[in-house]
Amino acid sequence: SFVIGSDGYVYEGRGWHWVGAHTLGHNTRGFGVAFVGNYTAELPAKAALHTVQDLLPGCAVRAGLLRPDYELLGHRQLVRTDCPGDALFSLLRTWPRFAA
């Protein structure tokens, strides 16, 4: 599990080698990334988006910690929540790895 700040930095929660507790019933099948902030009406900073879309997954795939054919889902697709906020979820839906 990881948290992304508006500065684009990755802050390790449980990291790669421990099962997270971010999405009940789905934690063993993936890892969670949270953006610091409320993204119901606005988007995270460009640096944070770049980190989540490009940097973090690229590093993880190269290190063998993430499958190259990974899929991206919003928290609300797995559990009953408004997370990650309407504005951010709308953007995530346009990313190539998004799984509808």
Side-chain angles (χ1 to χ4, degrees):
S1 305
F2 301 92
V3 177
I4 309 300
S6 59
D7 54 9
Y9 282 92
V10 177
Y11 298 90
E12 186 177 38
R14 293 191 178 182
W16 296 112
H17 303 291
W18 297 95
V19 175
H22 50 280
T23 309
L24 184 63
H26 301 276
N27 296 318
T28 59
R29 298 189 58 205
F31 71 95
V33 176
F35 288 87
V36 176
N38 179 336
Y39 300 105
T40 298
E42 58 187 53
L43 293 173
K46 289 184 191 278
L49 293 169
H50 174 63
T51 296
V52 171
Q53 186 174 22
D54 303 312
L55 299 180
L56 183 60
C59 289
V61 168
R62 284 190 301 277
L65 299 166
L66 183 64
R67 292 173 26 174
D69 63 344
Y70 73 91
E71 293 181 328
L72 170 72
L73 291 105
H75 196 199
R76 64 176 64 180
Q77 290 173 270
L78 300 172
V79 296
R80 189 174 180 91
T81 181
D82 290 335
C83 184
D86 291 341
L88 180 53
F89 188 69
S90 291
L91 176 66
L92 294 179
R93 293 176 66 191
T94 69
W95 290 6
R97 299 290 186 155
F98 183 81

